[in-house]
Amino acid sequence: RDVTGVQTCALPISGLDLPWQTVFQTESQPEVEEYCRRNDIEFVWTGSNTLRTSQICQSLAMHPHTRELLWFNQAHIFHVSSLDCDTREAMAEFLQPEELPRSATFGDGSPIPEDDLVAIRAAYEQEMVTFPWCGGDILIADNMSVAHGRMPYRGKRKVLVALCEPYSAHIGM
C-alpha cells in the first residue's frame, strides 16, 4: 500500500460540514472545477449542488531549513476515528463509508488502521506543551515543526497572523 501519501475526501452534506461555496469562497461551479484541476483535486458533483472531492497529499514533508523529514498532514483529524463515539455511530447508521463528510485513507485508498491513528494522536498528546496565557503574550510558531492552536480558547483576544516563505509540497522534497 502507498504510505507515502494520504488521501483525504470531503463530501459536505448540508448541516454536517461547510458547504463548497464557503470552502472555495465562490458560488461558481466552473471556478471550483478549474481550481480542482489546477491543484490535482479529483471532484465529482453528486447532485445538482453537492460536491465530493478527493486529493492525495503528502504524508511527510522535508523542512526547507532543517531538512528534517516531518509528519505533515492531517489524516488524524480527517479520519472518522477522530469523531466521538456517538457521532460515529450515528453517521454509520445513515451513511456508507464513501458518504462520510470527511475521511482519510492511505494514498492507494486502503484504510488506515485506527490503532495507527490512536498512536499518532497519543504522540501529539505526549508532546503537548500548554501554559496559561497572559495579556500581551505572543506565540511564534514554525508551522511545520509544531502543531498549534488545537485547544479551545475562551476570552477576548486579538489574533494576528503573518506568513513567510510559504511551503509547497511540490518543492519541499
Side-chain angles (χ1 to χ4, degrees):
R1 67 186 169 201
D2 179 2
V3 297
T4 61
V6 173
Q7 181 172 343
T8 56
C9 300
L11 177 64
I13 298 170
S14 182
L16 289 181
D17 208 344
L18 296 172
W20 63 265
Q21 296 90 335
T22 301
V23 172
F24 291 96
Q25 299 181 357
T26 182
E27 297 285 328
S28 168
Q29 289 184 354
E31 273 184 55
V32 169
E33 292 171 6
E34 181 55 32
Y35 178 88
C36 290
R37 282 188 204 96
R38 280 193 325 268
N39 290 281
D40 297 321
I41 300 171
E42 293 181 27
F43 66 92
V44 62
W45 296 99
T46 62
S48 63
N49 207 26
T50 304
L51 175 66
R52 178 172 184 75
T53 60
S54 176
Q55 183 177 34
I56 298 178
C57 304
Q58 81 282 346
S59 52
L60 303 172
M62 186 176 294
H63 192 286
H65 296 291
T66 68
R67 310 308 286 168
E68 292 173 276
L69 201 54
L70 306 168
W71 169 262
F72 194 63
N73 69 74
Q74 297 183 330
H76 61 294
I77 296 170
F78 272 79
H79 194 268
V80 68
S81 65
S82 68
L83 299 171
D84 64 80
C85 237
D86 291 341
T87 303
R88 283 174 69 178
E89 288 174 11
M91 286 190 169
E93 198 173 320
F94 297 103
L95 302 171
Q96 297 299 314
E98 65 275 6
E99 295 174 321
L100 291 169
R102 294 183 189 210
S103 63
T105 62
F106 285 117
D108 64 1
S110 62
I112 301 172
E114 194 169 322
D115 288 348
D116 292 354
L117 294 159
V118 167
I120 289 166
R121 289 188 199 99
Y124 273 96
E125 189 75 25
Q126 182 178 337
E127 294 299 317
M128 181 173 26
V129 175
T130 61
F131 50 88
W133 284 88
C134 299
D137 281 354
I138 296 173
L139 173 66
I140 299 175
D142 176 339
N143 196 43
M144 290 187 77
S145 298
V146 298
H148 55 83
R150 303 292 184 222
M151 298 196 58
Y153 175 84
R154 290 192 189 343
K156 276 187 111 172
R157 65 181 168 188
K158 180 186 255 184
V159 177
L160 303 173
V161 177
L163 301 172
C164 63
E165 300 179 29
Y167 173 81
S168 172
H170 303 291
I171 297 169
M173 299 286 274

